[in-house]
Amino acid sequence: MVVVFLVILAALVLFATEPVPIDITAIGIMVALMVLEPWTEVSPAEGVSGFASSATVTVLAMFILSYGVQRTGAVQILGRKIAAFTKDDEDRQLGATIGVVGSISGFINNTAAVAILLPMVTDLAHEGKTSPSKLLLPLSYASMFGGTLTLIGTSTNILASDLAARLGAQNPEVYPELGAFSMFEFTSLGILVSIVGAAYLMTVGRWLTPARIPVREDLTEEFELEEYLTEVVVTDDSPLVGRTVADALADTDFDVDLVQLVRGGKTFGEPLGQKQIQAEDIFALRTDRETLLDLTDTEGLRLLPDVDVDDEELAGEDADRSLVEVVIAPRSSLVGETLATANFRDRYDATVLALRRGPEYIRKRMDHAELQVGDTLLVQATPDSISRLNVNRDFIVAQEIDRPDYRESKIPLAIGIVGAVVTVAALDVLPIMVSALAGALVMVLTGVLKPPEVYDAVEWDVIFLLAGVIPLGIAMEQTGAADLIADLLVASATFLPPIAVLGLFYVVTAVLTNIVSNNASVVLMIPVAAEAARQLDANAFAFVLAVTFAASTAFMTPVGYQTNLFVYGPGGYKFTDYVRVGAPLQLLFAVATTLGIAAIWGVV
């Protein structure tokens, strides 16, 4: 038991600090449990059982189904209709955002729902003269409570169902109430908390949510770049003449970023590294005031006077280059890299002009700043390069991009397949794992998805996270660690009624989830909740459900849930924004969930 607690402690520290990605931490947990088998009692077969878990396979299939709907462009069409309805009415914009993402998240993965809707909501805000910050945090929160509507709304629900089924199968006499959740097992409770959440976001939450990002009039103004873009001309006697651009940049100590080259009336964008510098070349540069002053004293360069660089000039009509914001996605390979080490310009044929991390702008030595999840990059690129960024899973393009390859003719088919999966599972014709896999196969056979896209659709970090943490629950049960934690929490029953103990489980799980992975939280807490219910002679299903809902809704920190990280950069939020807006909502959910469970299923 001591060994298992040490593994749990190490896991919590690694999940919270993320020195390595959380899926790598999960695989490390799995390996440690197997290596320490004499103490953890986790055999090799049990250690890798997470890969064969119905929860893992179901989540994998749901990623494919969600991506199939995404590739048809159905959500983008819906967004255009919403924009026509909401116009510049902030109440309508907020209500539509909450209503649409809440409904969609009940049937496709809520992380995917936010990734799909984020560009739509950002454009909706700017077109309606509303700060995107007022809509993006509600977008994240509504996706979470929308995910509580059905079994397939979030991977946490599917994992909780699998854990409850295993506990019920292993101890049918002890846990007669436990089994796999049906499709709409807790929909009534999901509707209750969704109404509470929507009412809060439309009233108190709206007042608490800050307007950190101004309405977009000009991207260079939004990123405060007007003062930092300038043009210099190479003089006839410059020592730079004859050298390549890459060599010249490598030798300089100036903090400058090359935006474009103008030569003989023609404009060139990236890649510029191998171009030889000629006299009278004009370079558009991104720099700060201090470096700008130093450039005026540099031999061989002359600052062009009275240059006013706006979006149109920056884009360069001849080069057909434009500006776009992109967000570093949670599973991005660029996390931990810098623009320099990632060779961003050559790799993506695009130039990064500015980097926003929450409300902060990074310009000085930007190429050497390590990229983090949620960072927003202001990128200048050709339409072709932007299209490639749009389909790259490393990024979320934070504004609507025309994609001619949407398979709009397949919209009825894709929606019909998802509907059939839900119906078949709801009627208990087939288990959800089987119906979801069948639906994923039909997506390919009918041409909604191409075979290679199936692998692109899956968020493999989530799959490895699930497979890695599931054995931890097994170790807790088999060594008695879950019983010990349950004993400590049940001790509170000496001075608290059972409904208050139920609420305590929600609060403990919610706090844990806001620090570490939601899937890790549910694995740790469900065995404890079931054991506590046994000791209290209470309804084990009620306690498991409280843990499930708490693990599915982490409002108080940007790292509590992936959707919070998605909106961090585009919304320009501070950590305190999540606490200020999310803490009252978390408390409301604790009360609503506890009372709802007591009223619908009973505690004892």
Side-chain angles (χ1 to χ4, degrees):
M1 197 186 304
V2 171
V3 171
V4 170
F5 277 130
L6 289 174
V7 172
I8 292 172
L9 179 62
L12 292 177
V13 170
L14 291 173
F15 279 136
T17 59
E18 287 196 49
V20 294
I22 59 174
D23 50 313
I24 301 301
T25 295
I27 296 301
I29 293 168
M30 179 181 71
V31 172
L33 292 172
M34 290 187 290
V35 169
L36 300 172
E37 180 185 358
W39 298 276
T40 62
E41 300 183 16
V42 174
S43 67
E46 290 171 323
V48 298
S49 62
F51 287 105
S53 164
S54 62
T56 306
V57 177
T58 303
V59 170
L60 183 148
M62 291 309 303
F63 279 133
I64 298 170
L65 291 173
S66 297
Y67 193 61
V69 174
Q70 179 182 348
R71 291 295 289 112
T72 65
V75 178
Q76 285 71 16
I77 294 173
L78 178 62
R80 288 195 289 269
K81 294 184 181 298
I82 291 171
F85 167 73
T86 59
K87 296 184 171 64
D88 59 354
D89 188 318
E90 188 177 331
D91 287 330
R92 286 186 178 185
Q93 292 170 1
L94 185 57
T97 297
I98 295 169
V100 170
V101 76
S103 303
I104 290 176
S105 295
F107 298 96
I108 68 173
N109 180 271
N110 51 4
T111 304
V114 171
I116 295 169
L117 291 173
L118 189 148
M120 180 204 84
V121 172
T122 302
D123 280 5
L124 184 69
H126 285 304
E127 289 171 14
K129 305 303 179 185
T130 301
S131 168
S133 309
K134 300 293 284 185
L135 300 182
L136 291 178
L137 203 58
L139 173 72
S140 175
Y141 289 171
S143 75
M144 280 187 259
F145 55 68
T148 65
L149 291 171
T150 69
L151 171 63
I152 61 174
T154 171
S155 61
T156 310
N157 298 347
I158 297 170
L159 178 57
S161 173
D162 185 65
L163 294 170
R166 184 160 51 82
L167 284 170
Q170 289 174 347
N171 304 286
E173 298 84 8
V174 178
Y175 304 123
E177 311 97 332
L178 293 186
F181 301 155
S182 65
M183 179 63 66
F184 301 106
E185 183 96 45
F186 42 77
T187 299
S188 54
L189 182 60
I191 292 173
L192 172 64
V193 297
S194 293
I195 291 172
V196 170
Y200 170 83
L201 291 176
M202 292 291 294
T203 53
V204 178
R206 178 181 173 183
W207 175 65
L208 291 173
T209 305
R212 298 216 177 271
I213 299 298
V215 177
R216 180 186 300 150
E217 299 293 344
D218 182 308
L219 273 172
T220 58
E221 291 178 11
E222 180 178 322
F223 280 80
E224 300 175 7
L225 279 174
E226 315 95 324
E227 303 169 349
Y228 299 90
L229 291 169
T230 191
E231 290 184 335
V232 296
V233 62
V234 180
T235 60
D236 293 337
D237 58 350
S238 173
L240 298 177
V241 172
R243 302 188 64 187
T244 65
V245 171
D247 288 342
L249 287 175
D251 289 346
T252 183
D253 292 328
F254 293 136
D255 175 28
V256 296
D257 189 45
L258 187 58
V259 177
Q260 62 186 22
L261 164 66
V262 180
R263 175 182 294 168
K266 294 185 65 177
T267 304
F268 301 92
E270 293 290 350
L272 295 171
Q274 297 309 309
K275 287 192 176 296
Q276 281 197 335
I277 299 173
Q278 299 178 11
E280 303 303 319
D281 279 352
I282 299 172
F283 290 103
L285 304 174
R286 176 208 59 80
T287 187
D288 57 29
R289 286 181 182 276
E290 190 177 306
T291 306
L292 189 59
L293 293 174
D294 292 335
L295 281 173
T296 60
D297 298 327
T298 301
E299 182 184 358
L301 292 178
R302 177 167 49 84
L303 195 65
L304 288 183
D306 303 321
V307 175
D308 180 19
V309 183
D310 60 19
D311 271 351
E312 184 177 346
E313 289 171 338
L314 184 62
E317 291 183 354
D318 292 338
D320 193 25
R321 301 175 75 82
S322 54
L323 298 179
V324 69
E325 293 170 279
V326 299
V327 183
I328 302 297
R331 59 178 295 190
S332 175
S333 63
L334 296 176
V335 174
E337 294 274 6
T338 67
L339 296 176
T341 60
N343 198 20
F344 192 96
R345 294 185 188 121
D346 293 335
R347 185 173 173 183
Y348 300 108
D349 190 18
T351 302
V352 177
L353 302 180
L355 186 158
R356 183 172 65 222
R357 180 166 295 158
E360 304 298 326
Y361 294 94
I362 298 175
R363 301 185 190 86
K364 197 167 183 66
R365 290 298 173 195
M366 182 178 61
D367 282 356
H368 303 292
E370 285 195 4
L371 297 173
Q372 299 177 10
V373 174
D375 283 352
T376 301
L377 308 178
L378 178 62
V379 172
Q380 182 195 26
T382 63
D384 285 344
S385 295
I386 292 172
S387 295
R388 288 193 293 272
L389 291 173
N390 196 37
V391 297
N392 192 311
R393 298 298 290 270
D394 285 339
F395 308 102
I396 302 168
V397 177
Q399 62 195 69
E400 287 285 15
I401 302 297
D402 289 333
R403 278 183 57 173
D405 57 341
Y406 280 135
R407 296 162 193 149
E408 295 185 7
S409 63
K410 303 288 187 180
I411 289 176
L413 195 56
I415 294 175
I417 291 169
V418 174
V421 168
V422 172
T423 302
V424 168
L427 296 176
D428 284 333
V429 177
L430 291 171
I432 180 60
M433 179 186 73
V434 179
S435 66
L437 280 174
L441 179 61
V442 174
M443 284 272 188
V444 177
L445 295 178
T446 56
V448 176
L449 286 176
K450 297 176 181 176
E453 292 174 339
V454 170
Y455 301 96
D456 294 335
V458 179
E459 295 188 22
W460 293 103
D461 54 340
V462 176
I463 300 303
F464 278 90
L465 171 63
L466 287 172
V469 297
I470 285 174
L472 191 56
I474 297 173
M476 289 180 65
E477 295 167 44
Q478 296 186 168
T479 61
D483 294 351
L484 179 60
I485 299 174
D487 289 342
L488 296 174
L489 289 171
V490 168
S492 65
T494 57
F495 53 88
L496 291 175
I499 191 172
V501 179
L502 181 70
L504 179 63
F505 266 91
Y506 181 98
V507 171
V508 170
T509 306
V511 171
L512 186 62
T513 304
N514 276 285
I515 301 171
V516 302
S517 157
N518 52 322
N519 289 319
S521 298
V522 86
V523 167
L524 290 171
M525 292 303 296
I526 278 187
V528 176
E531 175 60 22
R534 183 192 68 79
Q535 293 186 30
L536 291 171
D537 197 23
N539 183 350
F541 176 77
F543 277 72
V544 166
L545 202 56
V547 166
T548 302
F549 269 58
S552 296
T553 49
F555 304 120
M556 295 189 295
T557 66
V559 297
Y561 209 86
Q562 276 194 344
T563 57
N564 285 346
L565 279 173
F566 274 172
V567 302
Y568 176 67
Y573 299 113
K574 294 182 179 180
F575 184 94
T576 52
D577 294 333
Y578 290 87
V579 177
R580 183 175 64 253
V581 182
L585 182 58
Q586 199 86 67
L587 181 60
L588 272 177
F589 264 57
V591 174
T593 301
T594 303
L595 294 180
I597 289 173
I600 300 170
W601 293 280
V603 178
V604 178

